[in-house]
Amino acid sequence: QSVLTQPPSVSGAPGQRVTISCTGSSSNIGAGYDVHWYQQLPGTAPKLLIYGNSNRPSGVPDRFSGSKSGTSASLAISGLQAEDEADYYCQSYDSSLSGSWVFGGGTKLTVL
Amino acid sequence: QVQLVESGGGLVKPGGSLRLSCAASGFTFSDYYMSWIRQAPGKGLEWVSYISSSSSYTNYADSVKGRFTISRDNAKNSLYLQMNSLRAEDTAVYYCARNRIAARPLNWFDPWGQGTLVTVSS
């Protein structure tokens, strides 16, 4: 059971917009800690997608955007493309677990 | 370019030991905190341990505390994870990753290595 809760799967057709939620609690996201997002393509290592809630590293298309409100965060992907099919993970910090970084359980994005 | 390459994974019996290595290149290794993060087969990600740039500070997830030891050799641009008393639930791909903001709560991990598989089974 992950500390941060994500939907196991989402799907969308090419060109559509999808969102992936990441729900936490008052000891992590709700405490004001930043949320970061990673993309894991099949058979590869996770890659940073969004940091500091809504910032994109250089090279990440502006089709990817992040937001945070209260005890939740969201990753939005617009103009869906086939190469976006991957697992997506959110990450934050939890002050109740001996102070450690925590991840969501991951969301599998299927491009129909 | 910035690169992390893990090695040392393999099959080990329960109760056994294994030492993972991570070779860093493309950046000033001694300037950065580093972490190990693992992913059990078909499961999500779990942060395992971090070490400060000068090895002064370390921290571990409760699930590995007392069994795993993180270390580094800045002269060799290398990070290590000594894993003892291994259990079946330690089976996972182990990634080394660079901490972007030291050990602060707002830290994120970038980049990650390609990972090395550790299988604990009799």
Side-chain angles (χ1 to χ4, degrees):
Chain A
Q1 200 83 351
S2 300
V3 173
L4 305 178
T5 300
Q6 298 180 233
S9 63
V10 298
S11 62
Q16 284 188 335
R17 180 179 186 269
V18 297
T19 61
I20 298 172
S21 61
C22 175
T23 303
S25 66
S26 58
S27 62
N28 43 69
I29 299 175
Y33 297 119
D34 283 355
V35 177
H36 320 292
W37 292 89
Y38 302 88
Q39 177 192 57
Q40 185 174 33
L41 296 169
T44 69
K47 169 195 158 190
L48 180 69
L49 198 61
I50 297 286
Y51 67 94
N53 304 316
S54 59
N55 301 290
R56 284 186 309 277
S58 61
V60 173
D62 59 6
R63 302 186 295 104
F64 295 90
S65 62
S67 63
K68 187 187 106 168
S69 178
T71 58
S72 295
S74 289
L75 173 71
I77 309 171
S78 59
L80 210 54
Q81 298 180 4
E83 59 259 37
D84 297 334
E85 188 159 292
D87 293 325
Y88 293 84
Y89 293 90
C90 59
Q91 175 240 314
S92 186
Y93 179 88
D94 194 291
S95 59
S96 69
L97 298 171
S98 306
S100 68
W101 297 291
V102 291
F103 292 88
T107 298
K108 169 69 177 176
L109 168 63
T110 300
V111 181
L112 302 171
Chain B
Q1 82 269 25
V2 177
Q3 192 172 14
L4 299 169
V5 179
E6 301 92 337
S7 61
L11 175 63
V12 60
K13 289 182 168 53
S17 299
L18 209 57
R19 188 195 195 208
L20 306 183
S21 299
C22 171
S25 61
F27 65 101
T28 304
F29 180 70
S30 57
D31 283 349
Y32 289 88
Y33 283 48
M34 298 292 295
S35 285
W36 287 97
I37 298 163
R38 68 184 180 182
Q39 184 172 34
K43 302 294 185 183
L45 300 164
E46 179 189 19
W47 170 80
V48 172
S49 178
Y50 84 76
I51 186 168
S52 65
S53 52
S54 62
S55 302
S56 299
Y57 304 104
T58 60
N59 196 15
Y60 301 88
D62 289 343
S63 57
V64 306
K65 202 168 289 184
R67 301 186 299 121
F68 289 12
T69 302
I70 191 172
S71 62
R72 65 191 295 162
D73 184 336
N74 287 342
K76 294 182 177 180
N77 290 337
S78 294
L79 175 72
Y80 306 102
L81 186 68
Q82 177 67 43
M83 304 185 295
N84 298 330
S85 302
L86 282 162
R87 307 166 179 166
E89 54 264 36
D90 295 318
T91 294
V93 174
Y94 285 73
Y95 298 100
C96 66
R98 185 177 67 173
N99 288 28
R100 293 302 279 120
I101 312 289
R104 295 186 184 179
L106 50 71
N107 173 64
W108 62 92
F109 305 100
D110 179 53
W112 300 50
Q114 88 288 350
T116 186
L117 176 62
V118 173
T119 303
V120 183
S121 174
S122 54

